[in-house]
Amino acid sequence: MYKLKMFRLCRIVMVAAFLVISNLLFSQADKNFDVNFYGFMRVDAYMDTYKGQDLGHDIFYLLPQYAKVGDVELNQQLSSNISAIASRLGVRISSGDVFNAKLTGVLEFDFAGNLRTDPTMFRIRQAFSMLSWEKSSLLMGQTWHPFFGAPHMPVVAGLNTGAPFHAFNRSPMLKYKHNLNTLSLTVAAVSEMQYFTMGVDDVFFRNNKIPRNTGNHAKRNGIVPELVLTADWAKEGKLFAGAGIQHKIIKPRMVVENAMGVFAQADEFLSSTGFVGYARFKGSKLSLLFKGYFGENMSHLVMPGGYGVANYDPT
């Protein structure tokens, strides 16, 4: 009971502090308020000779969809489609100075919500506010994962931006960036939302008819946000290089069952680490990008991989 009361008290204090800070920010930044809308309508008309995982009507191609049925290769299927789900709408907001920093924000939507089951759903892509000082910035909200590296990404004909060989993820986060002449350092605490790490509890919940509200509970139950550190170097707008490291902790399951059918509360966590590195030349008529990833359990970045059971104790 004491712990529950303390939790409620902490929550009330945090909510109150958030309301006070939000009111302070907007009360100081209501001058020079500016709003700019942007977006585009994109129509994809295509013919395909091979079936993928059908994410977003095959516009977002990842991996082959089907296994063989006998000697029949089901993926070798000619198909065609016309789609406009990649259309986009956004608004950029800028305001006055807050704590000697420029206050800006972005709210961006598209029509590709759940690419597998409901690719016509209206969804949030980005929603963040940012405080920018002369040599540093603080971002709060949802935007591209630091491993995506938005300025340096592959340019492809489809919607998948190089996945599954290139990270693809937008997540809620707190991100601080500091510029040192040609070098910038970024540290971020990242949560998970639409792109999340799978848990092991799905079968248990489904068989026991226990509702599960969201798919990202494995990361949420891991308590500690994903920690990401990146360094980026640029020279004269032509040469670029960078590297990064991320560390993630999840709790794969909340309940375990022994050989006697007795259930118990799971208490194990799983840690994983990933790395990224890139180099780029960007000229007026030629652009070269070299980028690579190496890591464990990077499925939340829409990359192949995951985790499995290492050992099992029947007691």
Side-chain angles (χ1 to χ4, degrees), residues 1 15 38 43 109 129 137 156 178 183 185 193 215 269 300 302:
M1 182 64 68
V15 171
Y38 68 93
V43 179
F109 303 89
S129 58
S137 64
V156 298
H178 188 75
L183 180 68
L185 301 175
M193 195 181 76
F269 293 82
H300 68 300
V302 196

Side-chain angles (χ1 to χ4, degrees), residues 80-128:
S80 66
N81 195 30
I82 301 175
S83 175
I85 64 173
S87 302
R88 194 168 305 165
L89 176 66
V91 56
R92 293 187 180 93
I93 304 170
S94 61
S95 187
D97 292 342
V98 177
F99 304 131
N100 297 320
K102 181 68 175 179
L103 176 62
T104 58
V106 169
L107 189 60
E108 183 180 278
F109 303 89
D110 68 11
F111 302 89
N114 190 321
L115 287 176
R116 184 182 295 278
T117 60
D118 192 1
T120 60
M121 184 191 303
F122 195 57
R123 69 165 177 180
I124 296 177
R125 286 172 55 90
Q126 299 188 79
F128 65 85

Side-chain angles (χ1 to χ4, degrees), residues 143-149 169-171 173 190 226 228 300-301:
T143 187
W144 291 102
H145 191 282
F147 268 31
F148 179 75
N169 177 298
R170 288 182 297 269
S171 291
M173 69 184 72
V190 184
E226 177 187 359
V228 186
H300 68 300
L301 300 176

